[in-house]
Amino acid sequence: MLLRITLLATMFAALLSGAPLARANDLTTTDITFTRSDGTTTTGTVHAPAGATGRPGVVLVHGSGTRRSPHYAQVAEALARQGIVALHYEKRTEDYTPAHRDFSLLADDALAGVAALRNRPEVNPAQVGLWGLSEGGWIAPLATSRSADVAFLITIGANSGAPAAQQTWANETRFAAAGIRGSMIDVLARNGIRQIAGAGQFAQAGYDPLPVLARIEQPVLAIWGDKDRLTPPGDSLRGFQEAFDRAGKTNYTLRTLPNAQHGGFTTTDGFDKGEQLAPGYAQLMGNWVNGLPGSAVGQADEPAVQGHSVSPLTPLAWWESTAAQLALLAGTLLALAGYALTGLARAWRLPDARSARILTAAAGIGIVGTVAQVFFVASTRATSFGPLLFGRTLSWVALQLVAVCAVVALGFVIARRGRMLDGAGTGARIRWALVVCGGIGFTLWAFYWGLLLP
């Protein structure tokens, strides 16, 4: 009898507070299909407490990438346990590539999800908001700023800066955590992103989220893991707060989760991802949503400590533009290839050409190896790079040694000009000029990419 009274008292208190009554195993999932703004359709799954009616709802907006992840279902279930009906849907993959993605169209997709969830019997249509992870932290605010149908906004791992600057910070952070230093981190990580962005191959590279944040009138809960290694958590919290304060916005809550990674999961170092959401993450969202509007009252945690701050990417100067870099690279390769091919003609051969041959081989290896290294840095999220020597990977040290050999060989070719060309014909002189031009081009290129820097 006493147990029944206790349970009834608990349920009554929960009803008064708006807290969820559903147990962990008392949830429902419903697959739905809804129409997007361009007339195409997508599918999604609604997670809700069993028997829910008139509950708050939230639509989950994906981070970057196109592969399906159980992450969203896990977050949706955690929200449902907090009494919040959650929809996660299949992300648009058409025309979504590293070089192109349309934030505006993706924001419209999120609003289509809001419309679909507002029509569900489980939810109160006046209490449907958006949740955005990482890239979704750019898209969900954009959607929120466009529609009064969005009642609130939650972000996790969102950025207050541009995508290209964020990715550079993530590369630098990853390199530094692995013990890498010097030219490999100072030049390669940063210049690689600048070149990709300058060539138009980095989607939304310069997107500025601050004007969008300033337009949002709805309550905002923004969360960062204190060990986020993909988004600068401290800089981003400060950026959100400054944007809101400048706009005179007071209905926001900015929180830092202890021992949490980019997506709000447990972690040991920020790079690994545990199987469970960080303690308190789901409860934070549940209490905040169920407590609106009083739960959003201009509160902000201390920004998380970062190893270094984000540095904006400077635009490419004319001499380092994609066209100039390609011209330098093409000219260098053509000159070296011309030297190698004209050697088939016996009359054009140079006497004592060992240094020229070393220069040609070393420059070719250096160029191919560096291009491969740049693409590796741009495409991988590896946090271990194998053994290091002087704060550099063995492959980078090898490339630097190859570059030094090429420059030394170029010095010998120039210094021995008289001996190499004494009595030589026009063909041999042309070959000497080709290898020198190729060597000078490689030297300039190697300096830019850090091969000849400490």
Side-chain angles (χ1 to χ4, degrees):
M1 183 67 179
L2 179 60
L3 178 59
R4 289 182 179 178
I5 293 173
T6 303
L7 287 174
L8 286 172
T10 302
M11 292 175 67
F12 184 71
L15 284 171
L16 289 178
S17 66
L21 297 177
R23 297 188 302 273
N25 61 349
D26 198 12
L27 305 177
T28 65
T29 58
T30 306
D31 293 332
I32 66 171
T33 299
F34 61 90
T35 302
R36 300 183 292 201
S37 61
D38 61 354
T40 60
T41 60
T42 190
T43 59
T45 301
V46 176
H47 297 249
T53 57
R55 298 300 307 171
V58 64
V59 176
L60 307 187
V61 181
H62 297 245
S64 63
T66 56
R67 70 180 182 88
R68 300 181 67 175
S69 171
H71 176 111
Y72 303 102
Q74 193 169 349
V75 173
E77 181 178 324
L79 287 166
R81 290 178 182 174
Q82 298 296 314
I84 302 167
V85 181
L87 165 65
H88 67 95
Y89 60 91
E90 291 299 312
K91 180 178 181 178
R92 178 187 295 270
T93 58
E94 304 94 332
D95 203 22
Y96 181 95
T97 68
H100 179 269
R101 58 198 62 174
D102 188 339
F103 281 4
S104 180
L105 186 58
L106 293 172
D108 287 342
D109 291 348
L111 292 177
V114 170
L117 193 58
R118 279 165 54 89
N119 287 324
R120 298 290 304 176
E122 302 95 333
V123 306
N124 178 347
Q127 291 182 289
V128 176
L130 286 169
W131 172 99
L133 163 67
S134 192
E135 182 180 87
W138 287 304
I139 296 165
L142 180 58
T144 302
S145 71
R146 290 179 173 178
S147 176
D149 288 344
V150 181
F152 59 86
L153 169 67
I154 301 173
T155 64
I156 174 73
N159 283 273
S160 62
Q166 170 265 321
Q167 186 59 56
T168 300
W169 180 88
N171 285 346
E172 293 169 341
T173 298
R174 181 164 50 94
F175 274 35
I180 294 173
R181 62 181 187 273
S183 59
M184 190 172 180
I185 187 171
D186 296 334
V187 178
L188 185 59
R190 179 163 289 265
N191 279 355
I193 297 297
R194 292 176 69 231
Q195 286 294 330
I196 293 171
Q201 298 303 303
F202 193 120
Q204 299 284 351
Y207 176 80
D208 184 1
L210 295 181
V212 172
L213 293 176
R215 293 197 301 268
I216 295 175
E217 297 180 356
Q218 299 92 322
V220 176
L221 170 63
I223 307 168
W224 292 270
D226 69 339
K227 293 184 178 178
D228 195 333
R229 302 295 184 254
L230 292 176
T231 290
D235 288 343
S236 295
L237 187 152
R238 280 186 289 267
F240 268 59
Q241 186 170 19
E242 290 169 3
F244 291 155
D245 289 349
R246 281 196 300 269
K249 183 180 181 64
T250 58
N251 56 344
Y252 65 83
T253 306
L254 310 180
R255 289 286 180 254
T256 300
L257 281 177
N259 300 313
Q261 51 82 262
H262 182 59
F265 281 75
T266 57
T267 185
T268 59
D269 60 2
F271 295 103
D272 64 349
K273 175 184 174 183
E275 295 181 356
Q276 302 299 323
L277 296 177
Y281 173 32
Q283 293 79 2
L284 167 61
M285 293 189 291
N287 291 339
W288 187 83
V289 171
N290 288 314
L292 287 174
S295 54
V297 289
Q299 299 174 339
D301 285 346
E302 285 295 317
V305 176
Q306 299 173 191
H308 70 289
S309 291
V310 176
S311 298
L313 294 184
T314 56
L316 296 174
W318 70 266
W319 53 270
E320 56 177 345
S321 65
T322 302
Q325 286 287 310
L326 289 176
L328 176 62
L329 189 58
T332 298
L333 291 173
L334 286 173
L336 295 175
Y339 168 81
L341 292 175
T342 53
L344 298 175
R346 182 180 297 272
W348 285 42
R349 292 178 182 173
L350 291 169
D352 190 20
R354 284 175 297 180
S355 55
R357 288 194 293 269
I358 292 173
L359 167 57
T360 303
I365 293 171
I367 289 171
V368 172
T370 303
V371 170
Q373 189 82 62
V374 170
F375 276 102
F376 173 76
V377 169
S379 62
T380 185
R381 290 186 176 180
T383 56
S384 177
F385 297 89
L388 301 180
L389 184 63
F390 307 118
R392 295 156 180 79
T393 63
L394 298 183
S395 60
W396 188 253
V397 171
L399 287 171
Q400 289 191 304
L401 290 175
V402 166
V404 170
C405 287
V407 174
V408 171
L410 173 63
F412 272 97
V413 170
I414 294 174
R416 294 184 177 182
R417 176 180 180 278
R419 182 186 303 179
M420 295 178 69
L421 297 181
D422 185 26
T426 301
R429 293 179 180 277
I430 291 174
R431 289 195 73 217
W432 182 88
L434 284 173
V435 76
V436 168
C437 288
I440 292 173
F442 173 76
T443 301
L444 295 173
W445 190 84
F447 265 118
Y448 179 77
W449 288 106
L451 292 179
L452 298 174
L453 298 174

